[in-house]
């Protein structure tokens, strides 16, 4: 194989998501079974030794597509020539901690990383922010990278999207593969809005098939929106394998395209569509093609949906204002 390897930078490589993610990237699941990959692992100094241990295990897999692993605590080196950057490293939320508490703890990480991406990454860089609060961290990184097109900075709501599909399949007895056009709107937080009004189950409208607004309001939406907290409560640690899986899905879909007739959910800089203030990084329904995405336009938003989208967007504008006050934008 002579193809030039794609440089993939992963921050927080020694963490639990990193451990679930790196082997899938190295095996070809992120970019494709014929795409060689070179990994750059960024950690804080205390994490370097554990990252080296993970790199030893990656070596021991003898992955045919893996062309190199570099481990560093220097963001400029880690993002040098990066084509894809997965910003995972952050402080995870622990029991009883609200996401708002994370803003100041994590904001400081993403500003220097955004600058390092601006100064060192490849021209085609695509960034996915996983570390929470993901949408606002992505905004901080994007604002620190004025030379990179803003749309290359995205935040992960694919885990919420996958959770919603799974809950809807369980309710209706459908296969997950029968469910299309589901949307996560807003923030990756408890205010997010999983919308089934445009979704289809085996070609039929999902909301009409379910026909149970009380289940929608009192069970489905809170179950999906609070799933992260439920996992923390059950595991004593935040979701890791499912988060890594969603990160692989997000980047794979961004690069390889959405299937005909379907869409996905991504946190992306708003262009003002659906009344979401321009510039904030909010989740939308998007289609992807040839490495670019577009917001699905023209969806009819009913009152039920409008109120919930607005509530999540309000939280995002408050987070933006808070990090602006902290001097992070
Ligand atoms: P973890 O604590 O196991 O790992 C985080 C790693 O990041 C640690 O190894 C730490 O040393 C490293 N790190 C911290 N600061 C760093 C920096 N400045 N540069 C590089 N590395 C740094 O946490 P985890 O379980 O892997 O979770 C990581 C993040 O992902 C958390 O913020 C968590 O809340 C978030 N998360 C997001 C989603 C989502 O759907 N968006 C889902 C699950 C978890
Ligand atoms: C999740 O959705 O599982 C995580 O974002 C939860 C968290 O706060 O780490």
């Amino acid at each position: 194989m002579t193809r030039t390897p794609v440089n993939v930078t992963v921050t927080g490589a020694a963490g639990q998501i990193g451990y679930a993610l790196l082997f899938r990237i190295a095996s070809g699941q992120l970019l494709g079974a014929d795409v060689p990959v070179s990994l750059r692992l960024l950690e804080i100094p205390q994490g370097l030794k554990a990252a080296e241990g993970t790199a030893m295990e990656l070596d021991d897999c003898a992955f045919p597509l893996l062309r190199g692993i570099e481990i560093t605590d220097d963001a400029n080196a880690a993002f040098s020539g990066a084509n894809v950057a997965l910003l995972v490293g952050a402080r995870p939320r622990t029991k009883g901690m609200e996401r708002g508490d994370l803003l100041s703890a994590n904001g400081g990480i993403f500003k220097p990383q955004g600058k390092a991406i601006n100064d060192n990454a490849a021209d085609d860089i695509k960034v996915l922010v996983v570390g929470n609060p993901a949408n606002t961290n992505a905004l901080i990184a994007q604002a620190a990278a004025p030379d990179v097109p803003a749309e290359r900075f995205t935040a992960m709501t694919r885990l919420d999207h996958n959770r919603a599909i799974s809950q809807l399949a369980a309710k209706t007895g459908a296969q997950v593969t029968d469910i299309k056009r589901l949307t996560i709107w807003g923030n990756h937080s408890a205010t997010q809005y999983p919308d089934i009004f445009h979704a289809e189950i085996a070609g039929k409208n999902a909301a009409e098939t379910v026909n149970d607004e009380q289940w929608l309001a009192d069970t489905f939406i809170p179950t999906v929106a609070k799933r992260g907290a439920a996992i923390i409560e059950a595991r004593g640690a935040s979701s890791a394998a499912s988060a890594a899986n969603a990160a692989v899905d997000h980047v794979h879909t961004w690069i390889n395209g959405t299937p005909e007739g379907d869409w996905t959910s991504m946190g992306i800089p708003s262009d003002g569509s659906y009344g979401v203030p321009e510039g904030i990084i909010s989740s939308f329904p998007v289609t992807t093609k040839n490495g670019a995405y577009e917001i699905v336009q023209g969806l009819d938003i009913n009152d039920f949906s409008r109120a919930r989208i607005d509530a999540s967007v309000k939280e995002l504008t408050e987070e933006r204002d808070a990090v602006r006050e902290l001097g992070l934008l």
Side-chain angles (χ1 to χ4, degrees), residues 226-255:
K226 295 182 186 164
R227 187 73 162 181
I231 304 269
I232 290 169
E233 184 61 34
R235 257 175 42 89
S238 64
S239 61
S242 56
N245 178 67
V248 169
D249 283 352
H250 176 113
V251 174
H252 190 274
T253 301
W254 189 356
I255 291 173

Side-chain angles (χ1 to χ4, degrees), residues 135-136 139 184-193 268 270 272-284 301 305-321:
N135 300 54
T136 298
L139 180 65
I184 304 295
W185 298 92
N187 201 1
H188 171 68
S189 77
T191 68
Q192 67 176 267
Y193 172 48
I268 56 170
S270 176
S273 293
Y274 296 102
V276 179
E278 204 173 331
I280 62 166
I281 297 196
S282 187
S283 188
F284 285 96
I301 306 297
S305 297
R306 187 74 259 168
R308 286 165 174 80
I309 294 170
D310 288 349
S312 195
V313 164
K314 179 169 178 286
E315 182 184 50
L316 280 170
T317 55
E318 287 166 0
E319 287 186 13
R320 178 201 57 197
D321 294 347

Side-chain angles (χ1 to χ4, degrees), residues 11-18 42-44 47 88-93 102 106 109 113 129-132 134 156 159-160 188 238-240 243:
T11 76
Q16 23 154 28
I17 294 176
L42 180 67
E43 259 294 345
I44 51 175
V88 180
R91 173 155 169 228
R93 182 164 60 125
L102 289 178
N106 282 314
I109 295 175
Q113 289 186 358
V129 177
V130 175
N132 280 321
M156 191 164 93
L159 179 53
D160 311 297
H188 171 68
S238 64
S239 61

Side-chain angles (χ1 to χ4, degrees), residues 198-215:
H198 306 284
E200 291 177 356
I201 304 175
K204 296 204 175 88
N205 181 272
E208 284 166 19
T209 303
V210 169
N211 194 25
D212 184 349
E213 196 165 301
Q214 194 177 354
W215 174 80

